[in-house]
Amino acid sequence: MVLTVADSVLVAGRGPMACAVIRACSRLGVKSVAVYSEAERDARHVRLADEAVLLGPAPATESYLDADRLVEAARRSQVEAVLPVPPALAGNARLAATVVDAGLTWVGPDAEVLERLGGDGVEPASERGFLAWVTAEGLHHVTPVLRDRAGGTPRVSWTPAHGLGPLPAAARRLPELGWRGLVTVGIDPDGELAEVAAGFSLDMAVLERSHGVDAVELTLRSAGDRPFGPVPADGAPGRPAVAVQLRSTLPPGTAGRITGRLPDVAPQRGGDAVAVSGYDPGDRLDGWYDALLATVSAAGPDLAAAARAASAVLTGLPETGVPHDGTAVCGVLQRLAGSLVSDLS
């Protein structure tokens, strides 16, 4: 078991990102309690968790995003901590304060820090930025990232071959300003800090693959004033890495049924690719929520190799039962790999 701030956590989130966190908790020996709405009683993240608690009706504002319901679920399940997954929850200062007031550990930046620094609660919209783990000692595993965007959502993120230059001064001050845990930063065209987000952004798998670390372990070690265990030495360069999101292209609000197996590859020592599915065959894709089906991330000796490794996971997918953007995603990977990877056909 890895030494962390808690032996049991409420995983506040859903879909592939919550599945990834719950899977990591299992590896770390940390009890996970999932939350779900009435529309997702048998969702994959519920089945993966050690326990699960009903939050409320299908609308996210009455279930997954309701701070009072989340804290009440944590109380009922008697967990020690609340681990928010998406930036919409990890950057919610009111939720952070409510968790602490209830006598529980909040795994993320303090409410006061979120208020002061504007933890935006959204995925960064900038086309470039960086990822890091922040402790009182500084920024660790700093990973520059570029994003290909479709409809305002990053569908492919990768490490640029030549970096992005020096970090913005405001970003370098995050440790002294009290930020703790994971951070995703957006950088504007002038090289200044444009936005900052807590939690498991869609880009965070790039940091994991690049540096060979577990973001959940880092998060659980860094809650509180000082991290549990040794802080990694700075300066070790990361490997080139890429992360992609496979999304349903059903019209918003339209439900579907998953009929084929989606990418799901557990982290392995020496393995280059990791995939996390939010659904198993037979699962219902509900129209209430985000259309993210699965995430795939990979690293390699160069960006082309990482792109090929990610594409290999997506190539030859069986009929999934719902339309998705896999062909478009593989098109981006082809460009990153110099057109040396296959498409889905």
Side-chain angles (χ1 to χ4, degrees):
M1 179 184 294
V2 175
L3 188 61
T4 67
V5 297
D7 294 327
S8 59
V9 297
L10 185 89
V11 179
R14 58 165 302 282
M17 305 304 285
C19 289
V21 170
I22 291 167
R23 192 162 72 178
C25 285
S26 178
R27 291 195 303 270
L28 297 170
V30 175
K31 177 184 175 180
S32 62
V33 176
V35 292
Y36 62 94
S37 73
E38 292 175 352
E40 293 197 308
R41 290 179 178 273
D42 193 37
R44 186 170 193 250
H45 72 279
V46 173
R47 298 194 298 270
L48 289 177
D50 296 304
E51 295 180 13
V53 180
L54 173 66
L55 287 175
T61 54
E62 300 177 40
S63 53
Y64 293 111
L65 300 180
D66 188 310
D68 293 329
R69 291 177 187 264
L70 286 167
V71 173
E72 178 58 28
R75 284 198 187 107
R76 295 205 313 268
S77 59
Q78 298 183 326
V79 296
E80 299 174 27
V82 173
L83 198 169
V85 179
L89 292 175
N92 186 324
R94 179 177 176 271
L95 175 59
T98 305
V99 166
V100 173
D101 288 345
L104 301 166
T105 297
W106 169 253
V107 185
D110 292 343
E112 296 79 7
V113 176
L114 291 173
E115 289 278 11
R116 186 167 68 250
L117 297 181
D120 298 317
V122 295
E123 291 283 339
S126 306
E127 292 186 352
R128 58 183 187 149
F130 76 89
L131 315 163
W133 177 44
V134 188
T135 71
E137 288 74 21
L139 300 173
H140 312 280
H141 306 313
V142 176
T143 308
V145 65
L146 294 176
R147 306 178 181 98
D148 171 84
R149 310 189 68 81
T153 302
R155 66 182 170 192
V156 182
S157 309
W158 65 94
T159 52
H162 304 293
L164 294 176
L167 296 177
R172 294 195 298 271
R173 294 187 60 216
L174 285 172
E176 65 184 87
L177 294 174
W179 193 281
R180 298 293 180 266
L182 303 175
V183 68
T184 302
V185 167
I187 299 175
D188 67 21
D190 296 323
E192 298 301 323
L193 188 148
E195 52 209 342
V196 58
F200 297 84
S201 70
L202 293 172
D203 301 322
M204 196 53 67
V206 176
L207 180 149
E208 291 185 297
R209 302 289 83 73
S210 179
H211 293 276
V213 296
D214 185 329
V216 175
E217 178 184 346
L218 297 180
T219 301
L220 289 173
R221 284 177 53 197
S222 58
D225 293 332
R226 297 186 67 82
F228 282 70
V231 174
D234 294 322
R239 302 174 74 199
V242 62
V244 306
Q245 292 83 46
L246 182 69
R247 294 179 177 276
S248 164
T249 54
L250 286 170
T254 303
R257 181 74 62 179
I258 304 299
T259 60
R261 188 161 299 281
L262 294 166
D264 199 66
V265 181
Q268 299 178 9
R269 186 178 298 276
D272 289 330
V274 174
V276 184
S277 169
Y279 303 86
D280 287 324
D283 285 349
R284 185 173 186 270
L285 178 65
D286 201 284
W288 284 101
Y289 309 116
D290 182 84
L292 184 63
L293 299 174
T295 65
V296 180
S297 55
D302 52 44
L303 184 59
R308 288 195 294 271
S311 181
V313 176
L314 292 169
T315 301
L317 281 180
E319 173 58 45
T320 60
V322 297
H324 56 72
D325 62 354
T327 298
V329 165
C330 281
V332 178
L333 293 174
Q334 286 178 333
R335 294 197 297 273
L336 293 178
S339 298
L340 296 177
V341 302
S342 303
D343 59 23
L344 288 182
S345 59

mmCIF file of all heavy atoms in Angstrom, residues 36-60:
data_model
loop_
_atom_site.group_PDB
_atom_site.id
_atom_site.type_symbol
_atom_site.label_atom_id
_atom_site.label_comp_id
_atom_site.label_asym_id
_atom_site.label_seq_id
_atom_site.Cartn_x
_atom_site.Cartn_y
_atom_site.Cartn_z
ATOM 1 N N TYR A 36 -23.434 8.063 -7.962
ATOM 2 C CA TYR A 36 -24.167 7.893 -9.203
ATOM 3 C C TYR A 36 -25.531 8.567 -9.124
ATOM 4 O O TYR A 36 -26.052 8.826 -8.038
ATOM 5 C CB TYR A 36 -24.334 6.407 -9.533
ATOM 6 C CG TYR A 36 -25.120 5.621 -8.504
ATOM 7 C CD1 TYR A 36 -26.493 5.412 -8.639
ATOM 8 C CD2 TYR A 36 -24.490 5.069 -7.385
ATOM 9 C CE1 TYR A 36 -27.215 4.690 -7.701
ATOM 10 C CE2 TYR A 36 -25.197 4.344 -6.446
ATOM 11 C CZ TYR A 36 -26.568 4.163 -6.607
ATOM 12 O OH TYR A 36 -27.274 3.455 -5.670
ATOM 13 N N SER A 37 -26.078 8.850 -10.285
ATOM 14 C CA SER A 37 -27.423 9.403 -10.368
ATOM 15 C C SER A 37 -28.414 8.284 -10.640
ATOM 16 O O SER A 37 -28.033 7.137 -10.913
ATOM 17 C CB SER A 37 -27.500 10.432 -11.498
ATOM 18 O OG SER A 37 -27.483 9.770 -12.761
ATOM 19 N N GLU A 38 -29.695 8.598 -10.583
ATOM 20 C CA GLU A 38 -30.720 7.594 -10.849
ATOM 21 C C GLU A 38 -30.615 7.028 -12.257
ATOM 22 O O GLU A 38 -31.070 5.907 -12.510
ATOM 23 C CB GLU A 38 -32.106 8.198 -10.607
ATOM 24 C CG GLU A 38 -32.378 8.512 -9.139
ATOM 25 C CD GLU A 38 -33.694 9.224 -8.932
ATOM 26 O OE1 GLU A 38 -34.323 9.611 -9.955
ATOM 27 O OE2 GLU A 38 -34.100 9.407 -7.762
ATOM 28 N N ALA A 39 -30.007 7.779 -13.170
ATOM 29 C CA ALA A 39 -29.870 7.317 -14.550
ATOM 30 C C ALA A 39 -28.684 6.383 -14.739
ATOM 31 O O ALA A 39 -28.557 5.748 -15.792
ATOM 32 C CB ALA A 39 -29.737 8.515 -15.490
ATOM 33 N N GLU A 40 -27.793 6.291 -13.735
ATOM 34 C CA GLU A 40 -26.574 5.499 -13.908
ATOM 35 C C GLU A 40 -26.342 4.542 -12.739
ATOM 36 O O GLU A 40 -25.234 4.385 -12.245
ATOM 37 C CB GLU A 40 -25.362 6.429 -14.066
ATOM 38 C CG GLU A 40 -25.376 7.237 -15.356
ATOM 39 C CD GLU A 40 -24.023 7.826 -15.688
ATOM 40 O OE1 GLU A 40 -23.437 8.494 -14.799
ATOM 41 O OE2 GLU A 40 -23.550 7.631 -16.824
ATOM 42 N N ARG A 41 -27.411 3.873 -12.330
ATOM 43 C CA ARG A 41 -27.309 2.954 -11.192
ATOM 44 C C ARG A 41 -26.328 1.815 -11.446
ATOM 45 O O ARG A 41 -25.727 1.287 -10.514
ATOM 46 C CB ARG A 41 -28.689 2.388 -10.854
ATOM 47 C CG ARG A 41 -29.645 3.412 -10.257
ATOM 48 C CD ARG A 41 -31.008 2.805 -9.971
ATOM 49 N NE ARG A 41 -31.907 3.774 -9.358
ATOM 50 C CZ ARG A 41 -31.988 4.005 -8.042
ATOM 51 N NH1 ARG A 41 -31.226 3.306 -7.210
ATOM 52 N NH2 ARG A 41 -32.835 4.892 -7.559
ATOM 53 N N ASP A 42 -26.194 1.412 -12.705
ATOM 54 C CA ASP A 42 -25.312 0.283 -13.022
ATOM 55 C C ASP A 42 -24.186 0.720 -13.963
ATOM 56 O O ASP A 42 -23.713 -0.058 -14.783
ATOM 57 C CB ASP A 42 -26.123 -0.852 -13.672
ATOM 58 C CG ASP A 42 -25.337 -2.154 -13.741
ATOM 59 O OD1 ASP A 42 -24.585 -2.448 -12.786
ATOM 60 O OD2 ASP A 42 -25.444 -2.856 -14.761
ATOM 61 N N ALA A 43 -23.738 1.964 -13.828
ATOM 62 C CA ALA A 43 -22.661 2.467 -14.679
ATOM 63 C C ALA A 43 -21.349 1.751 -14.364
ATOM 64 O O ALA A 43 -21.172 1.163 -13.284
ATOM 65 C CB ALA A 43 -22.489 3.972 -14.477
ATOM 66 N N ARG A 44 -20.418 1.791 -15.315
ATOM 67 C CA ARG A 44 -19.164 1.065 -15.126
ATOM 68 C C ARG A 44 -18.390 1.570 -13.902
ATOM 69 O O ARG A 44 -17.795 0.774 -13.171
ATOM 70 C CB ARG A 44 -18.287 1.172 -16.378
ATOM 71 C CG ARG A 44 -17.028 0.306 -16.266
ATOM 72 C CD ARG A 44 -16.268 0.203 -17.579
ATOM 73 N NE ARG A 44 -15.277 -0.869 -17.500
ATOM 74 C CZ ARG A 44 -13.961 -0.672 -17.464
ATOM 75 N NH1 ARG A 44 -13.462 0.547 -17.543
ATOM 76 N NH2 ARG A 44 -13.135 -1.701 -17.362
ATOM 77 N N HIS A 45 -18.386 2.885 -13.656
ATOM 78 C CA HIS A 45 -17.625 3.377 -12.506
ATOM 79 C C HIS A 45 -18.243 2.882 -11.200
ATOM 80 O O HIS A 45 -17.541 2.686 -10.206
ATOM 81 C CB HIS A 45 -17.511 4.912 -12.533
ATOM 82 C CG HIS A 45 -18.783 5.653 -12.218
ATOM 83 N ND1 HIS A 45 -19.779 5.857 -13.144
ATOM 84 C CD2 HIS A 45 -19.215 6.244 -11.085
ATOM 85 C CE1 HIS A 45 -20.760 6.546 -12.597
ATOM 86 N NE2 HIS A 45 -20.448 6.798 -11.346
ATOM 87 N N VAL A 46 -19.546 2.641 -11.199
ATOM 88 C CA VAL A 46 -20.214 2.087 -10.018
ATOM 89 C C VAL A 46 -19.784 0.639 -9.801
ATOM 90 O O VAL A 46 -19.497 0.218 -8.677
ATOM 91 C CB VAL A 46 -21.745 2.183 -10.180
ATOM 92 C CG1 VAL A 46 -22.465 1.468 -9.038
ATOM 93 C CG2 VAL A 46 -22.173 3.644 -10.256
ATOM 94 N N ARG A 47 -19.716 -0.132 -10.880
ATOM 95 C CA ARG A 47 -19.337 -1.543 -10.768
ATOM 96 C C ARG A 47 -17.877 -1.713 -10.352
ATOM 97 O O ARG A 47 -17.528 -2.688 -9.672
ATOM 98 C CB ARG A 47 -19.581 -2.247 -12.107
ATOM 99 C CG ARG A 47 -21.041 -2.244 -12.551
ATOM 100 C CD ARG A 47 -21.283 -3.238 -13.674
ATOM 101 N NE ARG A 47 -20.521 -2.945 -14.873
ATOM 102 C CZ ARG A 47 -20.940 -2.173 -15.865
ATOM 103 N NH1 ARG A 47 -22.134 -1.575 -15.780
ATOM 104 N NH2 ARG A 47 -20.209 -1.958 -16.934
ATOM 105 N N LEU A 48 -17.015 -0.782 -10.751
ATOM 106 C CA LEU A 48 -15.602 -0.903 -10.427
ATOM 107 C C LEU A 48 -15.300 -0.561 -8.965
ATOM 108 O O LEU A 48 -14.325 -1.064 -8.399
ATOM 109 C CB LEU A 48 -14.770 0.018 -11.328
ATOM 110 C CG LEU A 48 -14.632 -0.372 -12.799
ATOM 111 C CD1 LEU A 48 -13.842 0.698 -13.542
ATOM 112 C CD2 LEU A 48 -13.952 -1.727 -12.942
ATOM 113 N N ALA A 49 -16.102 0.305 -8.369
ATOM 114 C CA ALA A 49 -15.811 0.801 -7.023
ATOM 115 C C ALA A 49 -16.109 -0.251 -5.957
ATOM 116 O O ALA A 49 -16.852 -1.214 -6.175
ATOM 117 C CB ALA A 49 -16.619 2.065 -6.746
ATOM 118 N N ASP A 50 -15.533 -0.048 -4.783
ATOM 119 C CA ASP A 50 -15.792 -0.943 -3.650
ATOM 120 C C ASP A 50 -17.212 -0.774 -3.126
ATOM 121 O O ASP A 50 -17.848 -1.737 -2.701
ATOM 122 C CB ASP A 50 -14.788 -0.668 -2.524
ATOM 123 C CG ASP A 50 -13.362 -0.983 -2.938
ATOM 124 O OD1 ASP A 50 -13.109 -2.125 -3.361
ATOM 125 O OD2 ASP A 50 -12.506 -0.081 -2.863
ATOM 126 N N GLU A 51 -17.695 0.470 -3.142
ATOM 127 C CA GLU A 51 -19.065 0.771 -2.736
ATOM 128 C C GLU A 51 -19.578 1.892 -3.629
ATOM 129 O O GLU A 51 -18.807 2.528 -4.349
ATOM 130 C CB GLU A 51 -19.136 1.209 -1.268
ATOM 131 C CG GLU A 51 -18.760 0.141 -0.255
ATOM 132 C CD GLU A 51 -18.850 0.653 1.175
ATOM 133 O OE1 GLU A 51 -19.440 1.740 1.391
ATOM 134 O OE2 GLU A 51 -18.337 -0.025 2.076
ATOM 135 N N ALA A 52 -20.870 2.155 -3.572
ATOM 136 C CA ALA A 52 -21.446 3.247 -4.356
ATOM 137 C C ALA A 52 -22.632 3.837 -3.611
ATOM 138 O O ALA A 52 -23.335 3.137 -2.873
ATOM 139 C CB ALA A 52 -21.876 2.756 -5.732
ATOM 140 N N VAL A 53 -22.843 5.141 -3.810
ATOM 141 C CA VAL A 53 -23.900 5.870 -3.116
ATOM 142 C C VAL A 53 -24.716 6.654 -4.138
ATOM 143 O O VAL A 53 -24.155 7.348 -5.001
ATOM 144 C CB VAL A 53 -23.318 6.840 -2.068
ATOM 145 C CG1 VAL A 53 -24.434 7.596 -1.365
ATOM 146 C CG2 VAL A 53 -22.469 6.083 -1.051
ATOM 147 N N LEU A 54 -26.041 6.559 -4.042
ATOM 148 C CA LEU A 54 -26.934 7.321 -4.904
ATOM 149 C C LEU A 54 -26.922 8.789 -4.493
ATOM 150 O O LEU A 54 -27.045 9.108 -3.311
ATOM 151 C CB LEU A 54 -28.353 6.767 -4.802
ATOM 152 C CG LEU A 54 -29.450 7.554 -5.520
ATOM 153 C CD1 LEU A 54 -29.246 7.505 -7.032
ATOM 154 C CD2 LEU A 54 -30.837 7.016 -5.143
ATOM 155 N N LEU A 55 -26.775 9.662 -5.503
ATOM 156 C CA LEU A 55 -26.788 11.098 -5.230
ATOM 157 C C LEU A 55 -28.169 11.710 -5.413
ATOM 158 O O LEU A 55 -28.628 12.494 -4.580
ATOM 159 C CB LEU A 55 -25.804 11.819 -6.163
ATOM 160 C CG LEU A 55 -24.321 11.641 -5.864
ATOM 161 C CD1 LEU A 55 -23.490 12.318 -6.946
ATOM 162 C CD2 LEU A 55 -23.964 12.201 -4.498
ATOM 163 N N GLY A 56 -28.835 11.385 -6.531
ATOM 164 C CA GLY A 56 -30.121 12.010 -6.788
ATOM 165 C C GLY A 56 -30.560 11.816 -8.221
ATOM 166 O O GLY A 56 -30.108 10.899 -8.912
ATOM 167 N N PRO A 57 -31.451 12.677 -8.714
ATOM 168 C CA PRO A 57 -32.008 12.549 -10.061
ATOM 169 C C PRO A 57 -30.948 12.675 -11.148
ATOM 170 O O PRO A 57 -29.792 13.038 -10.888
ATOM 171 C CB PRO A 57 -33.018 13.696 -10.133
ATOM 172 C CG PRO A 57 -33.314 14.049 -8.717
ATOM 173 C CD PRO A 57 -32.042 13.788 -7.966
ATOM 174 N N ALA A 58 -31.372 12.398 -12.376
ATOM 175 C CA ALA A 58 -30.450 12.378 -13.514
ATOM 176 C C ALA A 58 -29.742 13.705 -13.789
ATOM 177 O O ALA A 58 -28.544 13.711 -14.079
ATOM 178 C CB ALA A 58 -31.181 11.902 -14.765
ATOM 179 N N PRO A 59 -30.425 14.859 -13.737
ATOM 180 C CA PRO A 59 -29.711 16.107 -14.057
ATOM 181 C C PRO A 59 -28.458 16.280 -13.203
ATOM 182 O O PRO A 59 -28.498 16.104 -11.986
ATOM 183 C CB PRO A 59 -30.756 17.190 -13.752
ATOM 184 C CG PRO A 59 -32.075 16.501 -13.934
ATOM 185 C CD PRO A 59 -31.852 15.101 -13.440
ATOM 186 N N ALA A 60 -27.340 16.637 -13.834
ATOM 187 C CA ALA A 60 -26.062 16.745 -13.117
ATOM 188 C C ALA A 60 -26.123 17.765 -11.994
ATOM 189 O O ALA A 60 -25.488 17.591 -10.949
ATOM 190 C CB ALA A 60 -24.946 17.089 -14.095
#
